[in-house]
Amino acid sequence: MIRVVAKSNSNPSKPSVHVTPIITYVDKAVADTEAPDAPTAVRTADVTETTAKVAWAAAKR
């Protein structure tokens, strides 16, 4: 639901009526035919018995 209320000090008006927007979504997946490279510069931090922070540089593709 979208409701627009505008305030004008010189010419006050009532809120707009309810408007139901029409939303269109088309899922067009791009063909993924090539596997990505492995990440680089993998590193860990704050390692405990149950958790660890892991970071890496993004793969090139």
Side-chain angles (χ1 to χ4, degrees):
M1 178 171 84
I2 297 174
R3 184 174 183 163
V4 176
V5 178
K7 183 176 181 181
S8 172
N9 292 332
S10 63
N11 187 14
S13 62
K14 295 180 181 179
S16 66
V17 296
H18 172 74
V19 176
T20 302
I22 299 172
I23 299 172
T24 304
Y25 175 77
V26 179
D27 186 10
K28 291 187 177 182
V30 177
D32 188 3
T33 59
E34 192 172 335
D37 293 336
T40 60
V42 178
R43 55 201 177 278
T44 59
D46 301 330
V47 178
T48 70
E49 287 186 21
T50 58
T51 63
K53 292 181 180 177
V54 181
W56 58 89
K60 293 182 182 182
R61 10 174 205 138

